[in-house]
Amino acid sequence: VSNCSLLPVVVLASLEDSETHDAQEVQLAALGLVTAVADAVPEAPVLVGLLPTIVAIAVGVYPTALPYLPKVRVSAATALVSASFSRARRHEVAALLPGPALHDLLALPGMRHVRVSVGAETDEQLGRRFIIGLLMANLCDLEVPGGSTSFGEEA
């Protein structure tokens, strides 16, 4: 699967549909497949072409008829976490997250800054914080593109 040239075509087609009733399930399945490939083969060449789209979904700027639900955006962020475990891919992920995009990612519903959580947060909110926290940890020593701070300082 990681060498299949049709993977980006299928994934991108699955992510385009936002108007049907089962669109969220299809989107989550497509992002789950990307995450599985990134987990198994983080250096897979097919990921390079998908990363800009995955970042756009995670930060909420990918153009569709309807906006992506937070659950889909978090699933996209999960794929970025998996890709960022690779030394080469983490630089590619970081390059796609300049200051404004990073702030949009941190503005996911239930997020402000990655912080120790206290109080009665839902499991979903804690999960969002955990995923974004992992991504920031993977990128923490890299400089935010177009800025003078690191991802660690922004988190």
Side-chain angles (χ1 to χ4, degrees), residues 63-82:
T64 58
L66 298 172
Y68 285 102
L69 297 173
K71 191 175 200 175
V72 174
R73 291 179 61 195
V74 171
S75 186
T78 303
L80 295 176
V81 169
S82 294

Side-chain angles (χ1 to χ4, degrees), residues 11-96:
V11 168
L12 293 174
S14 299
L15 295 173
E16 290 293 327
D17 180 20
S18 64
E19 295 181 13
T20 62
H21 174 44
D22 61 346
Q24 181 180 351
E25 289 81 15
V26 172
Q27 294 162 350
L28 290 171
L31 291 167
L33 179 59
V34 172
T35 300
V37 169
D39 283 342
V41 189
E43 301 292 336
V46 297
L47 292 175
V48 174
L50 289 171
L51 284 177
T53 300
I54 303 301
V55 168
I57 291 169
V59 301
V61 297
Y62 191 74
T64 58
L66 298 172
Y68 285 102
L69 297 173
K71 191 175 200 175
V72 174
R73 291 179 61 195
V74 171
S75 186
T78 303
L80 295 176
V81 169
S82 294
S84 69
F85 283 130
S86 156
R87 185 175 302 271
R89 291 284 179 257
R90 75 187 202 104
H91 290 281
E92 292 168 1
V93 170
L96 294 168

